[in-house]
Amino acid sequence: MANRPNRPRTMPHEPPRPQRKAQSAPEAPLPQQQKVTDEEMVEKKPSKLAILFKRIGFAILLVLALVFAYIFLLLGEPDEDAKYMQKPAEETITMPMSALEIPGESDVSDLAETFGQPVLSLGQALPMYKSRIYDTAFEGGYARRVTLTYTLEDGRQLTVESIRPTSAVTLLRQEGSRLDGSTLYTLGGLNAARMDNGTDCCIFSQTDTAVYAVIAPSGYADELTTLLRYTMLVAPEEGG
């Protein structure tokens, strides 16, 4: 029997087994592509924090709206004292007085004493031509009137009226009169309105107890605004 060749000591007893390839890590899945449609893409829902901020902002706006509404109502309501403040009772004139006319200058405070309320005057702005105090039949009684007549530079006349009671303001209205609200006026420290009838221009106002007016020719309307600065209410002398 033939001798086998000696095997080297380093040779393995069994043939090497084939090595397995190392498995690679699985690849991440690709993002799923959204379907292509004509519809708008669905928006992402807001986060809880964004929703919380929106709610807080809405609550703040609501509180501010309530505060402004309360302030508006508070300022719009009449004062408590004004609610219970009664308008002074006006004297009813049932017996007429004898008319009194004084030519030239007169003491307006004396006229106010007879009139029973302050009388409107122009002071020394124009020369006084005459003054008259008299009663006019009105609504089953009488309206008391003080008329001061002044002379303008061109010789025409301007009248200043004081009338009571206040309801007798209708005595100032003449046929064809219309109100002009384009300009505000001041009459003896009172807010006043204007009324025109094509012939005369009337600036009038009132207090709780009397009506006051300045009546001038329509052609004098432009100069009247300057003249109204001199109007004043002259009260009766104390102790008179």
Side-chain angles (χ1 to χ4, degrees), residues 188-230:
L190 305 172
N191 293 328
R194 175 175 171 174
M195 182 169 54
D196 293 278
N197 64 358
T199 303
D200 297 321
C201 172
C202 175
I203 310 297
F204 65 98
S205 183
Q206 73 174 63
T207 63
D208 290 337
T209 54
V211 176
Y212 302 102
V214 174
I215 303 171
S218 295
Y220 199 77
D222 295 337
E223 293 84 355
L224 190 58
T225 303
T226 302
L227 193 60
L228 292 178
R229 299 176 183 175
Y230 299 95

Side-chain angles (χ1 to χ4, degrees), residues 7-26:
R7 183 177 56 183
R9 294 181 179 180
T10 60
M11 182 180 293
H13 295 279
E14 296 180 356
R17 297 179 180 179
Q19 296 181 357
R20 297 179 179 179
K21 293 182 179 182
Q23 296 181 356
S24 59

Side-chain angles (χ1 to χ4, degrees), residues 120-126 148 150 158 160 214 227 230-232:
L120 186 66
S121 170
L122 280 179
Q124 302 298 320
L126 291 174
L148 306 180
Y150 294 89
L158 175 147
V160 177
V214 174
L227 193 60
Y230 299 95
T231 56
M232 65 183 73

Side-chain angles (χ1 to χ4, degrees), residues 99-203:
L100 176 64
E101 183 173 313
I102 305 173
E105 297 286 341
S106 60
D107 191 335
V108 180
S109 61
D110 289 343
L111 297 174
E113 180 68 29
T114 305
F115 181 66
Q117 295 293 332
V119 169
L120 186 66
S121 170
L122 280 179
Q124 302 298 320
L126 291 174
M128 186 182 296
Y129 176 72
K130 67 177 180 180
S131 61
R132 186 173 182 231
I133 181 169
Y134 60 103
D135 290 341
T136 300
F138 177 74
E139 293 185 350
Y142 295 90
R144 184 150 297 171
R145 310 175 68 167
V146 174
T147 302
L148 306 180
T149 304
Y150 294 89
T151 303
L152 298 170
E153 294 179 356
D154 58 1
R156 291 183 295 177
Q157 294 182 338
L158 175 147
T159 58
V160 177
E161 290 260 15
S162 302
I163 308 173
R164 69 177 181 92
T166 55
S167 56
V169 65
T170 55
L171 296 175
L172 294 174
R173 184 178 179 85
Q174 298 180 5
E175 185 177 357
S177 296
R178 59 180 180 83
L179 289 174
D180 182 0
S182 61
T183 307
L184 296 178
Y185 297 89
T186 301
L187 194 63
L190 305 172
N191 293 328
R194 175 175 171 174
M195 182 169 54
D196 293 278
N197 64 358
T199 303
D200 297 321
C201 172
C202 175
I203 310 297

